[in-house]
Amino acid sequence: MSNYIIKCVLLVSVGVSLCLADDQYTSKYDNIDLDKILDSKRLVSNYVQCLLGTKGCPPEGLELKRILPDALKTQCSKCTCVQRQGAVKAIQRLQKDYPDEWKLLLDKWDAKRESLAKFDDYVKKGGKIC
């Protein structure tokens, strides 16, 4: 799997969070309305602050913070298809609509932009999410 999925998990921070399991992360939060979150500057800000550790987190945000290091390390190899799709959507929307918040997340979770570069390369080559 590509590192683009790493970013997916990162942006999944916007709402699609997961729990570490043996083979896959739990699908417990797969039904979160990601569009509702991404359409709200307030909600995006809350999730970003959660991931940055500057504000409290909802349960799914706490779970995401817990699994994010593993997901980044393994290129989201334990993500379900729904989680990958949500992560890609979140990445694309954050880059487009919330560039300041996106930069803060990258600075914290991908300071060298290695995962972002791999994600961008994967997308340019027409990589599939699932």
Side-chain angles (χ1 to χ4, degrees):
M1 296 214 179
S2 76
N3 282 345
Y4 105 91
I5 295 182
I6 295 173
K7 282 309 178 186
C8 295
V9 173
L10 196 169
L11 289 150
V12 167
S13 68
V14 179
V16 180
S17 43
L18 325 160
C19 250
L20 192 56
D22 290 329
D23 297 313
Q24 286 190 316
Y25 302 120
T26 183
S27 59
K28 181 178 180 178
Y29 298 110
D30 282 6
N31 293 320
I32 287 176
D33 188 345
L34 190 55
D35 289 318
K36 180 179 178 180
I37 293 168
L38 292 169
D39 288 341
S40 169
K41 179 135 178 96
R42 180 187 60 81
L43 291 175
V44 169
S45 178
N46 286 341
Y47 278 100
V48 168
Q49 290 177 46
C50 159
L51 286 175
L52 296 175
T54 59
K55 186 173 186 171
C57 296
E60 65 275 9
L62 286 173
E63 198 60 42
L64 178 61
K65 281 178 68 171
R66 186 176 79 78
I67 64 96
L68 192 52
D70 179 71
L72 291 170
K73 179 180 175 184
T74 65
Q75 294 85 44
C76 205
S77 64
K78 298 176 187 176
C79 292
T80 66
C81 183
V82 169
Q83 293 159 356
R84 288 186 193 106
Q85 290 170 340
V88 168
K89 177 188 281 190
I91 290 169
Q92 292 172 338
R93 286 285 308 274
L94 285 170
Q95 288 175 328
K96 178 182 173 205
D97 298 336
Y98 303 97
D100 294 337
E101 290 84 352
W102 175 243
K103 183 181 180 316
L104 291 171
L105 289 171
L106 286 175
D107 289 347
K108 167 108 179 165
W109 297 99
D110 188 22
K112 294 181 180 179
R113 307 303 194 255
E114 294 168 345
S115 297
L116 178 61
K118 290 176 184 175
F119 168 75
D120 288 340
D121 186 52
Y122 182 81
V123 170
K124 286 177 187 172
K125 290 180 180 175
K128 299 201 183 233
I129 299 169
C130 299

